Amino acid sequence: STMAVQLKEIVDRLNAEPFCLDLSLVGFDEKEPFELMEVLKRVLMYLDVKHDVDLREEKAEAMYQRIAEFLHILGYQCSFDIEFQQGLISGDKNTVHPILYWLLNNLEPLRKRSYLAKFCMNLEVPEEFLREEKVYEIYQQYKELQSQFKATHTHVEQERQGRMNPTDLQREVAQLDAEREQLAQKIQMLRAKSEKDEGFAVLLQVTSMLRKEQEEEARLAEKLAEQRYQLEQTEQLYIERSARLREMREAQSQDGEGNADVMLKMLRSEVQKNRDALARVRKECEEKLQRLKEIDSALSDPPVTKEDIDNLEGEIGTMQTEIESLEQKVNEQNRDSRLSVYKQQANLVAKKKELILKEKKQLEEERDEKSKELSMKEREYEQMKGHKFMKRDEFKNYAASLRDKSAKFKRLKAELSDLRHEVSVLVRTEQILQAKDPTPAGLRETEVALEKASVEKSQVDKAKGKTLDEISAIVAKINAQLKEKKNKLAPQIKALRSVRQNFQQVEVKYLEKKSAYDQAKSSMDGDLSKITAEVRQLEAEVLDEEQGYHELNTKLLQEESKLQRVQREARCLRKEDRYSDKFATLTEEYTAEIERLDKLCNSLREQKKQVESTHKGNLKQKQAFVQLERLMKIKLKVANQEVQNIADGRYGAGITRSVMDASTAGVERLVIE
C-alpha cells in the first residue's frame, strides 16, 4: 500500500547519510510518540540549527508554533487546523509520517529554502510605525540589504554552476602541452631549414613587418566596420525618431476625439517594435551561445594529428567512390525510355515554377514600390491640403452612419405616407357626410339659442360698460408701464437668450466631449497599464539577457587569464621566461613552500612529543610548588599572629619564650605526597 511504500522510503533515507540511524521497518513503526518526535527534531535540525531544543523542557504550544511556522515557510501543504495541531503535539503517526516523508524526499532543496528564508522573508511592520522617519529609514535599509543578498546569492549560484571541472582543466592543459610540443617541433624544423640560407634574417625582418602591417590593416578594417555599423544604427535611430516626431505632430494636429486613438496606436506599434527587438536579441544571444558551445567542444577535443587527417581523407575518398558508383547505377536505371516522358514533364514543371516565382518576386517588388509611392502621395497631400483624406476606419464609421440615416429616413417616410393616407380617408368621409345632410338635426335650435344668448349678453355688456371702461383705462396704464419696462429690458433679455442658447450648445458639446473623453481615457488607461506591464517585463528580460551576456564575457576573460597563466608557466618551464627573482617557475615556488611547511610540521611534531613526554612530571612539580606556597603562606600567617599577640601583651614572658622556642625548635619538614 501507499503507507508501506512511504514508511520504507522514510526508513531508507534515515539510514542513509547524513542521519545514519540504522533503523528497521518494524522498529521505526513501533516507536513511541516521543521517540518519533525526536526523529522529526533531528531531521529539522539538519535543515535549521534553531530546532536543537530539548522536547522535555519545551512547552507543547511553543513546540507546535515552532514546527508549524517552519513547515509553513518551507511550503508544506496542510490545513494546519486543530486536528493537525493535536496530532503534532501528541506525536501521532498519521501526522508525523507524512511530514517526514515530504521532508526527506526534498531534503537538499528544503535546506536551501530554510537558509534563504532567514534573509528573504519579509518583516511585516505596521503602517503607523512606518510613519516615523527613523523606522522608515531602517526599514528601507533592510529592504536594500535584502535585495543585495538576493543578487549576491544569485551570482554565487551562477558562479558555482559555471565553475569548470578539474578534469576539464587537466584535459585542456594536456591539449596545450601537446600543441606546445608541436609548435616547438615546427620551430626547430624551420630553424634547421633556415640556418643554411644567408638572406633569411632580412626575409624574417620583412615578413615580421608585413605581419605587423597586416595586423594593423585588419585592426583598421575592423574599426571601420564597427564605425560603419554605428553609423547605420545612428541613421536608423534618426529615421525612427523623425517618424515618431511626425506621428506626434499629426496626433496633435487632429481633433481631441481621435487623439487618444492615435496615441494608443502609436503605443501599440512601439510595443510591437520592442517585441521584435527582443526576439532579435534573443535569437542573437542563442546563436552566440551555440557558437560558444561549439568553440568549447572544439577546445575540449584532443588535438588533431596527421594520422587523423589521413584517416579522414581516406574516408572522404571511399565516400566519393561510393557516390560515383551510385550515380552510375542511377544513370543506368534512368536509361529506360519510359522515364523520359516523366523527366520532361518534371523539367517543364520546374521551369514553370521558376517563372512563377520570378513573377511573384516582381509583383512583390511592384507592391512595395506602390506602397512607397502611396505613402509619398499621402505626405504630399498632407502638405498641400493640411489634413489627410478619410481613412479606412473613418470611412467605415461614415458608411455606418449613412446606413442608420437611410433606415431612419425610410421609416419616417413610411409613417408620413400612412398619415397622408389616413388624412385622405378622413377628408373623403367628411365630404360624403356633408353630401348626405347639409343641415344636420338640432342645428336650427342651436342657432335660436345662440341668438337669445347674444341678446342677453348685450344687455349685460351695457350694464357693465362703465365699469369696463374704467378697468380698461387702468389696464391700459399698466400695459403702458409694462411696455416701457419691457422696452428697457429687451436688449438684456435678448442678450440673455443668446447667452442661454450658446450655453445650451456649449453644454451639449461639453457633455458629448466629456463622455467621449471618459470612454477614451478608460480604454486608454487599461491599455496603457497592460502596455506598461509588458514594457516592464520586456525591460526585465532585456536586463536579464544583458546580464547573461556580461557574465559570459566575464567567463571568457577568466578563461583567457587562466590560459595566459598556463602559457607563462610553459614559457618558464622552457626557460624562456622567469616567474620571479627567487623562483624560475610557479612549480618551484609551490615545491619550496611545501618543503617549508613539511619542515615546520616536523618541528611542531617534535615539540609536541617533547611536551607530551614532560607534561606529567611538570604538572606534578607545579602541584608540589603550589602546595608549598600554600603551606608557607599559612606558616607566615601564624608567625605574624604570634608576633602580634606578643606585641599586645596577651601572653606572659614564660609563655612567650615557650612559644618562641616551640616555633623555632626542632626540624621543619615538608611532606609532599
Side-chain angles (χ1 to χ4, degrees):
S1 62
T2 307
M3 292 298 293
V5 173
Q6 290 183 1
L7 194 64
K8 186 177 182 303
E9 185 73 19
I10 292 169
V11 172
D12 291 338
R13 292 187 180 273
L14 288 174
N15 291 334
E17 293 288 341
F19 302 107
C20 302
L21 296 181
D22 195 12
L23 298 172
S24 63
L25 286 172
V26 178
F28 180 74
D29 191 45
E30 292 178 354
K31 278 187 176 294
E32 295 295 329
F34 182 77
E35 295 176 348
L36 197 59
M37 292 302 294
E38 285 286 342
V39 174
L40 179 60
K41 185 192 82 171
R42 188 162 181 178
V43 176
L44 293 176
M45 279 174 57
Y46 178 75
L47 298 176
D48 196 349
V49 187
K50 72 176 183 180
H51 295 284
D52 189 7
V53 182
D54 192 357
L55 297 178
R56 296 183 182 86
E57 298 178 358
E58 190 179 20
K59 294 182 180 179
E61 294 180 356
M63 181 193 70
Y64 172 74
Q65 185 70 23
R66 173 174 56 82
I67 297 175
E69 184 178 355
F70 188 65
L71 291 175
H72 181 69
I73 290 172
L74 295 180
Y76 181 65
Q77 299 295 327
C78 182
S79 59
F80 295 99
D81 53 1
I82 298 174
E83 185 179 356
F84 178 78
Q85 181 179 359
Q86 292 176 356
L88 189 60
I89 291 172
S90 61
D92 188 13
K93 296 179 182 179
N94 296 326
T95 305
V96 179
H97 283 177
I99 296 173
L100 284 172
Y101 179 74
W102 182 74
L103 291 174
L104 293 170
N105 277 333
N106 305 286
L107 196 61
E108 293 302 326
L110 292 177
R111 189 178 183 185
K112 182 178 178 182
R113 187 183 180 91
S114 64
Y115 167 72
L116 295 176
K118 296 178 184 178
F119 308 99
C120 296
M121 287 294 292
N122 290 324
L123 181 63
E124 298 296 335
V125 181
E127 293 182 359
E128 56 268 17
F129 295 125
L130 288 175
R131 292 172 185 171
E132 296 183 4
E133 187 175 356
K134 292 183 179 179
V135 177
Y136 181 74
E137 289 178 358
I138 293 170
Y139 187 72
Q140 290 297 324
Q141 292 177 3
Y142 161 72
K143 285 291 186 183
E144 290 177 0
L145 291 173
Q146 196 176 45
S147 61
Q148 289 178 6
F149 170 77
K150 290 179 181 178
T152 306
H153 178 72
T154 306
H155 181 68
V156 169
E157 289 294 327
Q158 291 176 355
E159 287 294 329
R160 286 175 180 172
Q161 292 177 1
R163 188 177 298 169
M164 290 188 67
N165 197 0
T167 56
D168 296 337
L169 291 174
Q170 290 176 359
R171 186 169 61 249
E172 188 175 356
V173 170
Q175 183 179 355
L176 291 173
D177 290 337
E179 291 178 358
R180 183 191 62 188
E181 291 177 357
Q182 290 179 2
L183 289 172
Q185 291 176 1
K186 288 181 180 179
I187 290 168
Q188 289 178 0
M189 291 172 64
L190 290 172
R191 283 179 180 174
K193 289 180 180 179
S194 60
E195 284 178 354
K196 298 178 181 179
D197 194 357
E198 296 179 355
F200 180 73
V202 179
L203 182 63
L204 181 62
Q205 185 178 1
V206 172
T207 52
S208 62
M209 292 174 63
L210 178 62
R211 180 177 56 80
K212 289 179 182 179
E213 292 296 330
Q214 286 177 351
E215 290 178 355
E216 183 69 20
E217 185 180 1
R219 188 178 62 80
L220 291 174
E222 185 178 357
K223 192 172 182 181
L224 179 62
E226 184 178 357
Q227 290 179 355
R228 283 179 179 174
Y229 178 70
Q230 291 178 357
L231 179 62
E232 290 177 358
Q233 284 187 341
T234 307
E235 290 178 352
Q236 186 69 25
L237 186 64
Y238 172 73
I239 293 168
E240 291 177 358
R241 292 292 182 267
S242 60
R244 179 77 182 278
L245 180 62
R246 188 176 65 255
E247 290 176 357
M248 293 294 291
R249 286 177 179 173
E250 290 175 358
Q252 288 179 359
S253 63
Q254 290 180 359
D255 295 334
E257 296 179 357
N259 197 3
D261 296 333
V262 174
M263 293 292 289
L264 188 59
K265 289 179 181 178
M266 289 168 61
L267 289 173
R268 285 175 178 168
S269 63
E270 212 171 302
V271 169
Q272 187 63 34
K273 290 178 182 177
N274 290 331
R275 285 178 178 170
D276 296 337
L278 178 62
R280 187 173 64 255
V281 169
R282 283 181 176 174
K283 187 176 179 181
E284 291 178 357
C285 184
E286 289 176 358
E287 291 177 355
K288 289 182 178 179
L289 287 173
Q290 186 66 27
R291 179 62 178 166
L292 183 62
K293 289 180 181 178
E294 292 176 358
I295 292 169
D296 290 336
S297 62
L299 290 174
S300 62
D301 291 337
V304 180
T305 59
K306 194 171 185 309
E307 294 179 358
D308 297 334
I309 296 171
D310 294 336
N311 293 328
L312 291 173
E313 288 179 353
E315 290 179 0
I316 291 168
T318 54
M319 292 292 179
Q320 287 177 355
T321 54
E322 289 180 0
I323 290 167
E324 290 176 357
S325 62
L326 291 172
E327 286 179 352
Q328 289 177 1
K329 289 181 181 179
V330 170
N331 293 326
E332 290 176 357
Q333 291 177 0
N334 290 337
R335 288 177 183 176
D336 192 357
S337 60
R338 291 175 294 179
L339 297 175
S340 59
V341 179
Y342 299 106
K343 285 183 179 180
Q344 292 176 0
Q345 291 179 357
N347 293 326
L348 292 173
V349 170
K351 289 180 181 179
K352 287 181 180 179
K353 183 180 178 182
E354 289 178 358
L355 292 173
I356 290 168
L357 289 173
K358 288 181 181 178
E359 290 178 358
K360 180 185 175 183
K361 190 174 180 180
Q362 290 177 358
L363 291 173
E364 288 177 352
E365 291 176 355
E366 290 178 0
R367 183 194 63 188
D368 296 335
E369 291 177 358
K370 295 297 181 184
S371 62
K372 290 180 182 178
E373 290 178 1
L374 180 62
S375 61
M376 291 173 63
K377 295 295 182 183
E378 286 179 357
R379 285 196 292 272
E380 291 176 0
Y381 185 83
E382 289 173 10
Q383 292 175 1
M384 292 173 64
K385 300 294 182 180
H387 64 278
K388 284 186 176 182
F389 55 87
M390 192 176 293
K391 295 181 181 179
R392 183 176 294 177
D393 297 334
E394 296 175 356
F395 183 76
K396 287 182 180 179
N397 296 328
Y398 179 69
S401 63
L402 284 178
R403 284 195 293 270
D404 295 336
K405 289 179 181 179
S406 62
K408 187 176 180 181
F409 172 74
K410 289 178 182 179
R411 180 171 56 79
L412 293 175
K413 187 176 181 181
E415 291 179 358
L416 181 62
S417 63
D418 293 337
L419 290 173
R420 285 176 178 174
H421 180 68
E422 189 174 355
V423 167
S424 63
V425 171
L426 291 173
V427 169
R428 180 61 180 165
T429 304
E430 184 181 2
Q431 290 176 359
I432 292 169
L433 290 174
Q434 287 179 359
K436 287 183 179 180
D437 190 4
T439 57
L443 182 60
R444 293 175 182 177
E445 288 81 0
T446 304
E447 290 178 354
V448 173
L450 286 172
E451 288 177 358
K452 290 180 179 180
S454 63
V455 172
E456 292 176 357
K457 183 178 179 298
S458 62
Q459 292 176 359
V460 173
D461 291 336
K462 287 179 182 179
K464 294 180 179 180
K466 296 179 180 180
T467 306
L468 290 172
D469 292 335
E470 294 175 357
I471 292 170
S472 63
I474 294 168
V475 169
K477 188 177 179 180
I478 292 169
N479 288 330
Q481 292 178 356
L482 288 173
K483 190 174 182 180
E484 186 178 358
K485 296 290 184 183
K486 284 181 180 179
N487 291 329
K488 290 182 180 180
L489 294 174
Q492 298 178 1
I493 292 169
K494 189 175 181 181
L496 180 63
R497 286 176 181 173
S498 63
V499 169
R500 283 180 179 174
Q501 290 178 358
N502 293 330
F503 173 73
Q504 289 176 357
Q505 294 176 359
V506 170
E507 186 177 10
V508 170
K509 190 173 181 180
Y510 166 74
L511 293 173
E512 291 177 356
K513 299 289 185 181
K514 188 175 183 299
S515 62
Y517 171 76
D518 292 336
Q519 292 177 359
K521 186 175 182 300
S522 61
S523 63
M524 191 173 69
D525 289 339
D527 295 336
L528 187 61
S529 62
K530 293 179 182 177
I531 290 166
T532 51
E534 291 178 357
V535 169
R536 288 174 183 172
Q537 184 180 1
L538 293 173
E539 288 178 352
E541 291 177 357
V542 170
L543 289 175
D544 293 337
E545 296 295 336
E546 288 180 355
Q547 184 178 1
Y549 172 73
H550 291 306
E551 288 175 357
L552 289 173
N553 284 334
T554 306
K555 290 179 182 178
L556 287 174
L557 291 174
Q558 290 176 357
E559 296 302 325
E560 287 178 358
S561 65
K562 291 178 182 178
L563 181 60
Q564 291 176 1
R565 187 176 178 184
V566 171
Q567 290 175 354
R568 186 184 178 189
E569 183 67 17
R571 290 196 303 272
C572 293
L573 290 172
R574 292 196 303 268
K575 297 181 179 180
E576 296 176 359
D577 194 2
R578 189 174 180 82
Y579 181 74
S580 63
D581 297 335
K582 192 174 180 181
F583 300 101
T585 61
L586 182 62
T587 306
E588 292 181 0
E589 184 178 1
Y590 282 166
T591 305
E593 186 68 19
I594 290 168
E595 289 177 356
R596 188 182 65 80
L597 293 174
D598 289 337
K599 291 178 181 178
L600 182 62
C601 289
N602 292 328
S603 63
L604 291 174
R605 286 195 188 97
E606 290 176 358
Q607 291 178 9
K608 180 182 177 183
K609 289 179 182 179
Q610 186 178 0
V611 169
E612 287 178 352
S613 61
T614 60
H615 178 67
K616 292 183 180 179
N618 293 335
L619 183 63
K620 192 172 182 181
Q621 187 178 4
K622 182 181 177 183
Q623 291 175 356
F625 277 107
V626 169
Q627 291 176 3
L628 177 60
E629 184 182 4
R630 192 181 302 163
L631 182 61
M632 295 302 291
K633 285 181 180 179
I634 293 170
K635 188 172 181 180
L636 179 62
K637 185 177 180 183
V638 171
N640 291 332
Q641 187 68 33
E642 289 175 357
V643 172
Q644 185 68 29
N645 292 332
I646 293 169
D648 294 341
R650 295 181 184 177
Y651 304 109
I655 297 171
T656 304
R657 183 67 180 172
S658 64
V659 170
M660 292 292 289
D661 293 336
S663 63
T664 56
V667 179
E668 295 179 358
R669 292 181 298 165
L670 175 64
V671 180
I672 300 173
E673 295 180 356

